[in-house]
Amino acid sequence: MLRNSLQKSPTLSRSYNHFANVFSNGILEPTISTRTLSISSKSNCTDNPLMLHHEWVIDGKVQSSPASASSASAASSSSSSSSSSGSNNDGNVIVFLHGLLGNNKNLRTPAKKLSIETGVTALMIDLRGHGLSQLQSHNSIGNGYGEEETHSIHNCANDVIHTLQQLNLTGLSSPKYMCGHSFGGRCALSYHHILTTSTPTSSQTQVKPPQHTWILDSCPGKAHSSVANVIQAVSSIQMPVRTKQQLVQILTQEKNIDQAIASWMTTNLKQTNQPHEKGFDFMFDLEVVHSILQDFTNQDMMQLLRECMLHSSTVEPSSSSSSNGTIHKIIASRNESWTPDILQELNSIQNMQDANANLNLVTLDAGHWVHIDASDALLDNMIKEF
């Protein structure tokens, strides 16, 4: 998926090289917003000791994450009031979930543009075993997830729900919007499914289903061979590496990885904390990554979509609508994993007569990295739903 898309699309290869260079050169460092968030250290969820690392994007600016975001709804309402197209309703928040081997910075560009255009507040999350959530898990009791818990897509989605509960984004303050790319899209679908089919507890502590969920080029079935190749390559590298350039050299010359992907991998490096060592380690946990990769074939994406369409949720979505919301399945036309059989099955689900929700299939002229190669078209599709 990664490699084929880049090799067959010169435009995507150029744009992704630019994307990788932007991050590796540190151009997109966090900018603290002039908007002030009131910070609380209280949490209303004690079931899971781990809160996923997260950042906020407000008015196009990155805000370092508060310990609790009971003020997030107020921030989103305040942000909305400054935009002619915004809404003053609580829950005007969109959650962004990155792909495998990525981190929350990968989706900052669409998040910034969306927050400026619509006034929505974006919550950028580092998923289990990725980014700074990987560091937080090792600083928690045990592994931070529970000793017996498997690293599955379903449990990654539950991590997001637990984090939203700890951030007090529940009840009427539940995020109205969810967006995930690739692996993050799989988590977004599982998140939508859990909330749509679950039995509610308390209306105040229950996270409600989103009004709109965007799944960016998450194709059913196993991960593309290029994804497995990259994971195999990085698993065989002796860490730490001395420099970012050394990592690129090893990946391209020794592991036969595409230059653009190798450059992007430098965005997942951090200064090593190994004693008497200098250089860089990966920010992700390879044990978690391998477990999640193996779980790809266990996720029955078509069945989850059907159940999301058919289930009469006992919890109304975080909107005035009585339906189960809309799932927007974004398909990259240059990704060869989308076979005619898969597309035909998606069309049959879209046309189900007894559905209680909507499935919107959107094909964009892009490779796997749709938020880069077709950024304007994607944003146009999203903005009209706010």
Side-chain angles (χ1 to χ4, degrees):
M1 213 168 354
L2 299 172
R3 193 169 184 177
N4 281 359
S5 296
L6 287 168
Q7 286 178 335
K8 295 187 178 184
S9 171
T11 302
L12 179 55
S13 182
R14 287 193 300 270
S15 62
Y16 206 80
N17 268 308
H18 171 71
F19 174 79
N21 289 336
V22 165
F23 279 110
S24 61
N25 291 333
I27 296 174
L28 292 183
E29 287 299 312
T31 304
I32 302 302
S33 172
T34 54
R35 183 181 304 282
T36 302
L37 291 179
S38 58
I39 298 176
S40 168
S41 60
K42 295 182 179 179
S43 167
N44 66 358
C45 178
T46 58
D47 294 336
N48 192 324
L50 176 67
M51 180 191 291
L52 296 174
H53 177 264
H54 52 278
E55 295 177 333
W56 303 93
V57 175
I58 303 170
D59 294 339
K61 304 288 181 63
V62 176
Q63 170 72 51
S64 57
S65 55
S68 172
S70 56
S71 58
S73 298
S76 64
S77 296
S78 175
S79 176
S80 299
S81 64
S82 67
S83 170
S84 58
S85 60
S87 168
N88 289 320
N89 294 331
D90 286 344
N92 191 35
V93 173
I94 180 169
V95 180
F96 279 96
L97 305 179
H98 59 80
L100 207 60
L101 300 181
N103 57 66
N104 78 76
K105 294 179 177 65
N106 297 161
L107 293 165
R108 270 188 186 173
T109 298
K112 287 180 176 182
K113 291 181 179 179
L114 206 58
S115 70
I116 292 172
E117 292 290 332
T118 69
V120 71
T121 292
L123 176 59
M124 319 297 294
I125 288 180
D126 282 337
L127 289 166
R128 171 184 297 222
H130 291 74
L132 296 184
S133 290
Q134 183 261 350
L135 300 178
Q136 290 182 189
S137 68
H138 287 290
N139 290 333
S140 301
I141 299 174
N143 63 7
Y145 307 113
E147 293 181 1
E148 303 299 324
E149 185 169 296
T150 58
H151 300 302
S152 65
I153 296 168
H154 179 87
N155 286 335
C156 288
N158 268 325
D159 291 343
V160 175
I161 295 172
H162 284 304
T163 297
L164 295 179
Q165 288 175 327
Q166 293 182 77
L167 293 174
N168 296 318
L169 293 176
T170 59
L172 294 176
S173 297
S174 301
K176 291 181 180 179
Y177 312 102
M178 167 65 70
C179 179
H181 173 247
S182 194
F183 156 60
R186 290 173 175 267
C187 294
L189 175 59
S190 187
Y191 168 94
H192 190 109
H193 180 266
I194 292 169
L195 297 182
T196 300
T197 61
S198 65
T199 301
T201 52
S202 166
S203 60
Q204 297 301 315
T205 60
Q206 178 84 3
V207 179
K208 293 186 177 182
Q211 182 177 350
H212 291 276
T213 298
W214 285 271
I215 301 175
L216 310 184
D217 207 51
S218 302
C219 190
K222 66 180 181 180
H224 194 276
S225 59
S226 63
V227 177
N229 289 342
V230 173
I231 294 174
Q232 182 179 6
V234 298
S235 299
S236 64
I237 297 176
Q238 182 67 40
M239 302 298 284
V241 291
R242 295 188 305 277
T243 64
K244 295 179 179 181
Q245 290 72 24
Q246 183 189 17
L247 176 64
V248 173
Q249 182 178 8
I250 293 173
L251 287 173
T252 55
Q253 298 182 14
E254 298 180 20
K255 308 298 181 181
N256 198 30
I257 299 298
D258 184 270
Q259 175 73 35
I261 297 175
S263 297
W264 174 68
M265 287 303 301
T266 64
T267 70
N268 291 298
L269 292 176
K270 62 179 177 65
Q271 292 283 347
T272 185
N273 56 5
Q274 297 184 33
H276 313 297
E277 293 278 4
K278 292 183 179 181
F280 297 89
D281 284 316
F282 287 121
M283 294 177 66
F284 44 76
D285 186 323
L286 279 169
E287 179 183 350
V288 175
V289 169
H290 279 285
S291 296
I292 291 172
L293 183 66
Q294 293 173 7
D295 192 49
F296 271 38
T297 54
N298 296 328
Q299 185 187 46
D300 191 339
M301 190 176 292
M302 296 301 190
Q303 184 61 26
L304 292 181
L305 282 170
R306 288 190 186 92
E307 291 179 6
C308 287
M309 296 301 103
L310 291 174
H311 198 277
S312 297
S313 175
T314 53
V315 184
E316 289 188 1
S318 51
S319 70
S320 58
S321 172
S322 59
S323 75
N324 287 343
T326 300
I327 295 177
H328 306 267
K329 197 92 165 97
I330 309 299
I331 299 167
S333 64
R334 286 180 246 150
N335 182 353
E336 294 181 347
S337 297
W338 296 103
T339 64
D341 287 344
I342 291 175
L343 296 176
Q344 182 178 355
E345 189 170 1
L346 285 174
N347 276 293
S348 69
I349 296 173
Q350 183 183 42
N351 296 323
M352 291 169 58
Q353 297 298 317
D354 50 352
N356 295 313
N358 301 311
L359 175 61
N360 181 29
L361 301 179
V362 180
T363 301
L364 298 180
D365 181 17
H368 181 59
W369 308 94
V370 290
H371 54 291
I372 299 167
D373 206 31
S375 58
D376 290 342
L378 175 63
L379 285 171
D380 288 343
N381 177 270
M382 298 179 73
I383 287 172
K384 64 184 180 182
E385 304 297 348
F386 286 81

